[in-house]
Amino acid sequence: MHDSDANDEDETLAESVLVEAIENQLEAGEPAVTQAVLNKLTLVGHPRDEAVHLMALVLADEVKQMMRDDRPFDGERYERLLRDLPDLPEAGE
């Protein structure tokens, strides 16, 4: 297996874990903003799977910032970035 194949597999696994996390948030209703954002995105024409993918990208960004800054999960930042969708966060936002 080539390194690029392993990286592709890692990215696919990471994406599926993040999508599953969003689906779990939707099922649990926590945070409540996830369902509101999904409703907004589908209302403006994004297919459900695309909307969930966008939300997973926001979760990935928050996790990346957590690790970079060595800090706990920032629920307020996460909610703000979700509400900004379909605009994705800028690097270092």
Side-chain angles (χ1 to χ4, degrees):
M1 180 180 294
H2 293 91
D3 284 344
S4 64
D5 292 340
N7 287 341
D8 289 347
E9 283 184 23
D10 288 347
E11 286 180 21
T12 301
L13 176 63
E15 182 179 334
S16 69
V17 167
L18 290 165
V19 166
E20 184 177 338
I22 296 297
E23 292 290 2
N24 289 340
Q25 290 177 4
L26 290 165
E27 187 176 323
E30 279 295 320
V33 68
T34 54
Q35 186 64 55
V37 170
L38 178 63
N39 293 347
K40 176 185 96 169
L41 291 171
T42 55
L43 187 65
V44 298
H46 292 277
R48 186 185 189 282
D49 60 333
E50 181 182 302
V52 169
H53 178 77
L54 288 170
M55 295 166 71
L57 291 173
V58 167
L59 181 56
D61 184 76
E62 174 53 25
V63 170
K64 183 174 76 177
Q65 295 300 321
M66 273 176 55
M67 293 188 316
R68 188 194 75 189
D69 298 343
D70 191 26
R71 62 163 172 79
F73 186 84
D74 184 343
E76 289 180 12
R77 178 181 184 271
Y78 176 59
E79 183 173 331
R80 178 175 45 81
L81 295 176
L82 281 175
R83 290 185 185 281
D84 287 346
L85 286 174
D87 296 330
L88 291 170
E90 299 288 327
E93 186 176 317

